[in-house]
Structure formats: C-alpha cells, structure tokens
Amino acid sequence: SLAAAAAAVAVPAAAVEQGRGAMNATRVRHLENALGLFDQMRKKETPFLPLDLFLRRYFQAHRFLDGADRAWVAEKTYELYRWRGLLDHVSTPPHNWVNRMRTFFTSDRWRSQTQNPNLPHHVRCSFPKELFARMEGSLGTKAAREVCDVLNEPAMTFLRVNTARIPRDKVFSFLSARSVPVEKTLNSKMGLLLASKQKLLELPEYKLGYFEIQDESSQLIAQQVDAKPGELAMDFCAGSGGKTLAIAPKMLNKGHVFMHDNRDMKLFEAKKRLRRAGIANYTLLPPMHPLLPKLRGRMDWVLVDAPCSQTGALRRNPDMKWAYSDERLWQWVAQQREIFEAALKYVKDGGKIVYATCSTLDEENAQQVRFFCEKFGLYLSHPPLHALPQTKGMDGFFCATMERR
C-alpha cells in the first residue's frame, strides 16, 4: 500500500535531520497524504487551488499537527514539487509520489544530476520541456537556466510598511528589537526583507496595520500607480487588495480607489485588510455592480495586474510549472487582451493605465504592450520595468504604463 511504502521510506532516514527537525512516520504520512490529495484535487477542480492555499486548508483540517510538523510538511511538499521532473528521471518507474519520496529521502545523490552535462537542460533544472523551451525563446539558454535555478530556491518573505501610519525605519527598529532578522529592500522604499520566516501575524505591529506581507515586485508594480490625493484610481484585478493597500496610502484618504474583480469572495477578503491599514477611501466593485457603467472615462489611473503564467513567481507555487502548456499560454494571452480592453474604458482623457504580470515570457509582456499600443492608439509613458526573479530576492515581474496619443 502507499502508506506502507511511505513508512518504508522513513526507515533509512528516520534519524536524519531534514530541514525543520527530524523525519518521522507522522510527518511522512501527512506529506504523502497532502501530495496525493492535491493531485486528486487538480484533476477535478477548474480553476484549481494553488499549492499555498491548498496547504493552508489541509492544515486547517488537521489542526492537531503542531507548528514544527506543519513547517516540515509544507517545506518538503514544496521541495518535492520543485524537483518532481528530476526525481522522475532518476527514480524507477512508476512515476508516483511514493517513488519520488523514496529517492528524495534515501540520499542526496539525485541532486548531483543538476550538474550532469549529458542531461537536457530542462531535466537538470526540473522544468517541463515545453515551458523551458518557451523561457529559452524569451531569455536565451544561459539566462533561462539561471532563472530556473533561482525558481527552484525557497521563496523569500517581504513586508510592505504602511507609510501613511509609520515610517519604514521605525518598523525596522521594532522588528530588530524583537530579534527578527530583517533588512531594508533596495528597490522599494516601503519594503523590508526577512532573513527567515517568523510568526509575524501575532506581532502587535501587524495587528495595528503597520505592515503587510507583500513581495517586493508587487510593491514596485503598485508604486507605478502614482495616484495623488483627490484623484480617482481603479485596481481592475484587485483580488484581496494587495496592490490597493500599497496605492491608497499616498492618497492620504483623499480621492478614491475602486476595487474590481470577478471573484466576489476575494474582494470581500480585502475589507479586513483595508480596515486594519486605516484605509477608508475605497469602494468594492464586484461584477455587475451598478456603479461600473457610471465610472467609464473617469479614472486618472487604472491598474491591470493581469492573470498570467506566473513564471516569475514559481518559487511560491512550483506546482504551476507542471500545469503549464503552450495552449494555456495562448489562453492567458487572449484573457489578458480581453481584460485590458475592458479596463481601458475606465481611463479618462489624459489618464494612465498600468499593465503588469508576474511572468518572464515575452508573449505576455513586451508583445502584449506592442499589441495594446497599436490596437488602442496608446504610447508608453516611460520604458517598462522588467525584472527576472532574483536569488534570495524578489520575484520576476513586468510592468508598463501607457496613455492615449
């Protein structure tokens, strides 16, 4: 049985330290269980839940697991998903999680295959062949390999300080005084980088709305929306409000931010975050809201943080690389064009629209901006921002600001 095979995996390495503590039968059982359940869910659900949200739900359903057990299971789940392709290459068939776990835990010898020059590049860096070829087309072979290696690292934790309430230096001092290892980010003037994950949500500074967890790349995208006090801005794919939380403080609760998303529940998650941050000048606009038609042609700023392949942020959800296909890429491209056209209707004459993705692929970035400019008579306000994912740093992203001719 799967459970018996998983227990057998634990025997040769039971006394070995694996990340946050030693491996034991309980941890291995929940690791295999989580991996199996996630695979089953991915086959049934569309759109499917990303790995981070799945694990959150899994741990809510298994509350008896303590913090150390949860950290171990989460860390190993992520690592097994990152290295699934290479583990399949070196493991004996059939390709399933029991065999991958056996190879992963028995020894570290499989890791040496990342340096094997006789293996194809996509196998060495454990990426699907189709996705690696697409990244190679956008970046070149050397850069694509480097990016894939970075995307196989654990994700870093960034904070964005609510500068309307408190200066970044003060939060830096608070966290340092509590022995939280923290650094100031180089690119975002509102950001802090944590050297290791902490129980941040229990800190009084978090409960007071002094900071939020947000990648530096997302902070830089939001900073492109330079909405002034008294102006009107719309976050067109607002989700649970991460970008709005970064845009609104500069407006000093004057003017207004309109948050639109097709997912009602995501929008209503934002309410609590906005209240904690002390932001009052916002309106939630779920689909079919009666205010939507009245706002056309009135926005100074519109942000389109478009759904995409997420190839710049695969550290956070490595399962997404195994869901990639060129067919899905063209679906994203079509969806991005549809969303952009809908969002553009809200921009007033002299207003600006910001298009952003967390993708590394030209098809979703530069090629889309060329298409938008040609089709809608737009021009770039300034050269686009484009960063590849950085080792022990921020995720990859693309961001372009456009206005009408």
Side-chain angles (χ1 to χ4, degrees):
S1 74
L2 288 178
V9 169
V11 173
V16 178
E17 287 292 311
Q18 295 283 348
R20 294 181 178 86
M23 181 164 68
N24 59 45
T26 298
R27 291 178 175 185
V28 170
R29 186 171 70 252
H30 279 283
L31 175 61
E32 188 208 350
N33 193 31
L35 290 164
L37 284 172
F38 186 64
D39 271 4
Q40 288 173 27
M41 184 210 68
R42 291 298 284 259
K43 288 171 186 168
K44 293 176 186 173
E45 291 188 22
T46 307
F48 33 66
L49 210 60
L51 185 57
D52 55 351
L53 292 180
F54 166 81
L55 284 172
R56 192 184 304 169
R57 290 190 183 179
Y58 183 85
F59 294 138
Q60 285 170 350
H62 298 84
R63 292 184 183 278
F64 57 85
L65 288 171
D66 64 25
D69 287 341
R70 293 178 186 209
W72 189 93
V73 171
E75 183 180 292
K76 299 309 171 193
T77 301
Y78 271 80
E79 206 164 356
L80 280 155
Y81 256 103
R82 286 188 192 106
W83 295 108
R84 193 183 96 175
L86 184 59
L87 290 167
D88 282 350
H89 181 79
V90 299
S91 300
T92 53
H95 297 321
N96 58 37
W97 287 117
V98 172
N99 282 342
R100 291 169 192 143
M101 287 169 66
R102 183 179 287 116
T103 301
F104 181 87
F105 285 117
T106 301
S107 84
D108 269 353
R109 283 178 300 190
W110 61 269
R111 293 183 188 273
S112 65
Q113 295 302 309
T114 60
Q115 306 302 319
N116 183 347
N118 297 319
L119 290 182
H121 289 294
H122 75 278
V123 175
R124 288 165 62 183
C125 61
S126 195
F127 262 65
K129 186 175 183 180
E130 200 171 15
L131 176 54
F132 186 85
R134 187 63 62 180
M135 293 173 75
E136 194 175 24
S138 288
L139 305 171
T141 304
K142 185 173 182 290
R145 268 304 311 270
E146 289 169 355
V147 166
C148 290
D149 288 343
V150 170
L151 291 171
N152 284 328
E153 297 175 358
M156 303 298 289
T157 302
F158 288 87
L159 307 180
R160 180 191 44 75
V161 176
N162 182 357
T163 51
R165 285 200 159 177
I166 190 167
R168 177 171 72 165
D169 286 349
K170 276 201 172 181
V171 176
F172 177 82
S173 299
F174 285 155
L175 295 177
S176 298
R178 294 176 185 275
S179 302
V180 177
V182 63
E183 302 169 20
K184 295 175 186 176
T185 52
L186 296 175
N187 301 296
S188 170
K189 303 303 180 192
M190 302 183 287
L192 296 169
L193 169 63
L194 296 187
S196 63
K197 285 188 177 178
Q198 305 284 328
K199 290 187 176 176
L200 292 168
L201 307 190
E202 300 304 315
L203 292 175
E205 292 83 11
Y206 174 77
K207 293 178 178 177
L208 289 167
Y210 289 174
F211 62 79
E212 284 271 343
I213 297 172
Q214 186 179 49
D215 190 75
E216 188 179 16
S217 61
S218 295
Q219 297 178 38
L220 294 174
I221 289 169
Q223 286 173 32
Q224 297 308 299
V225 180
D226 190 22
K228 305 284 195 301
E231 291 188 335
L232 300 181
M234 180 178 285
D235 187 352
F236 196 73
C237 304
S240 58
K243 304 290 190 307
T244 298
L245 284 161
I247 294 164
K250 295 179 288 188
M251 301 173 74
L252 306 176
N253 275 328
K254 297 170 185 173
H256 213 79
V257 184
F258 297 92
M259 300 170 62
H260 171 266
D261 202 284
N262 285 334
R263 301 161 297 175
D264 300 44
M265 293 310 296
K266 276 282 183 188
L267 273 183
F268 291 110
E269 280 175 32
K271 268 190 166 181
K272 188 191 295 183
R273 299 175 76 188
L274 291 158
R275 190 182 308 121
R276 186 173 58 239
I279 294 165
N281 59 325
Y282 71 91
T283 299
L284 303 180
L285 299 174
M288 310 305 292
H289 193 287
L291 198 54
L292 280 165
K294 299 173 185 175
L295 295 175
R296 289 184 178 178
R298 292 184 57 196
M299 296 297 114
D300 297 282
W301 291 90
V302 173
L303 171 62
V304 179
D305 186 13
C308 68
S309 63
Q310 301 180 41
T311 46
L314 290 171
R315 281 180 289 200
R316 301 189 184 281
N317 285 299
D319 54 295
M320 289 298 295
K321 67 182 177 184
W322 304 111
Y324 175 87
S325 68
D326 282 347
E327 182 184 355
R328 288 199 74 204
L329 173 63
W330 302 126
Q331 289 171 0
W332 279 313
V333 167
Q335 187 182 19
Q336 288 154 7
R337 292 179 177 183
E338 187 181 313
I339 290 170
F340 186 90
E341 185 168 4
L344 186 61
K345 292 171 183 170
Y346 294 92
V347 182
K348 74 176 191 181
D349 288 342
K352 295 183 179 181
I353 185 165
V354 178
Y355 171 79
T357 73
C358 60
S359 172
T360 62
L361 303 178
D362 281 345
E363 290 83 356
E364 299 180 279
N365 296 336
Q367 290 179 30
Q368 288 288 56
V369 169
R370 278 197 294 274
F371 174 84
F372 298 147
C373 288
E374 287 170 13
K375 180 170 182 181
F376 302 113
L378 307 174
Y379 69 93
L380 284 165
S381 305
H382 45 75
L385 281 180
H386 189 196
L388 296 175
Q390 298 172 4
T391 185
K392 295 184 172 55
M394 66 180 174
D395 293 338
F397 74 98
F398 177 89
C399 184
T401 304
M402 289 159 274
E403 49 194 302
R404 297 186 194 277
R405 293 190 183 280

